């Protein structure tokens, strides 16, 4: 299947600093990518839709100035958590849909564990 | 608004026994339904998906799921579980086959395998 890679797998940062998470589709192009957040023992919640060449679309309740998304190319989307606080600690997962001959399937990255201290 | 309910937070099954994980959905149109598995600290792996056609869907690792429109359910089954099946399982619904609009996930069911 297709491969979506996230980097880093885990990161620890100090409160007030910013952290950038990368999501790459390694063997296909993705005009759209999705960012999810998962709290411990909880489900994945869609945060935003990243659109190549245009602004991201944020779900209700997600602060766009807090979670900056840039879809720089057809294979790369980045999520920057700005001025991170401990409550931003979470597991962040991206996904990218790949359109094949018969259908479209979403492929997920391996996730990034963010800990803010 | 679409939603997914997984009523069982935890399920414990003996190795070799059969398994059924429940999933109910609420969706205004024809749903695209998915089951994913997540190992600790890992991303998601797609087990199977339902788009249309045959309501019994076969997936990887010996899993299958049955779509029942009348019950708004998409339960996951496996006839004989292995210790390696211990993980978190998520049911999800989307408006398109590949989650091109993003997916709505249930809260997950934690599967524990007893020796």
């Amino acid at each position: 299947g297709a491969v979506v890679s996230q980097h880093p797998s885990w990161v620890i940062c100090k409160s007030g600093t910013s952290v950038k998470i990368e999501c790459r589709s390694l063997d296909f192009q993705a005009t759209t990518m999705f960012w999810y957040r998962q709290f411990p023992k909880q489900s994945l919640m869609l945060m935003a839709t990243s659109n190549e060449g245009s602004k991201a679309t944020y779900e209700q309740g997600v602060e766009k100035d807090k979670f900056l998304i840039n879809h720089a190319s057809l294979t790369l989307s980045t999520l920057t958590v700005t001025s991170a606080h401990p409550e931003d600690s979470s597991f962040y997962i991206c996904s990218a849909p790949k359109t094949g001959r018969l259908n479209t399937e979403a492929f997920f990255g391996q996730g990034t564990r963010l800990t803010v201290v | 608004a679409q939603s997914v309910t997984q009523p069982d937070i935890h399920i414990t099954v003996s190795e070799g026994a059969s398994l059924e994980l429940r999933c109910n959905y609420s969706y205004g149109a024809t749903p695209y339904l998915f089951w994913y598995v997540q190992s600790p600290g890992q991303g998601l792996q797609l087990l199977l998906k339902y788009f249309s056609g045959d309501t019994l869907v076969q997936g990887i690792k010996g899993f299958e799921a049955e779509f029942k429109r009348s019950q708004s359910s998409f339960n996951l089954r496996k006839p004989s579980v292995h210790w390696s099946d211990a993980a978190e399982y998520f049911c999800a619904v989307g408006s398109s086959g590949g989650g091109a609009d993003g997916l709505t996930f249930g809260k997950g069911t934690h599967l524990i395998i007893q020796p």
Side-chain angles (χ1 to χ4, degrees), chain A residues 51-81:
Chain A
N51 303 299
E52 191 270 336
S54 63
K55 292 183 179 180
T57 306
Y58 290 82
E59 296 299 302
Q60 190 173 9
V62 178
E63 300 176 60
K64 59 183 178 182
D65 294 331
K66 174 75 167 176
F67 299 99
L68 299 180
I69 290 173
N70 182 25
H71 202 131
S73 73
L74 288 171
T75 59
L76 174 64
S77 174
T78 61
L79 168 68
T80 301
V81 183

Side-chain angles (χ1 to χ4, degrees), chain A residues 6 21 23 34-36 46-48 69 77-79 93-94:
Chain A
Q6 264 183 259
I21 303 169
C23 179
F34 301 95
W35 287 96
Y36 295 84
L46 180 64
M47 298 175 64
I69 290 173
S77 174
T78 61
L79 168 68
I93 304 178
C94 69

Side-chain angles (χ1 to χ4, degrees), chain B residues 75-88:
Chain B
N75 295 347
L76 182 71
R77 299 193 295 249
K78 186 170 184 177
S80 176
V81 298
H82 186 262
W83 64 266
S84 60
D85 293 324
E88 193 80 18

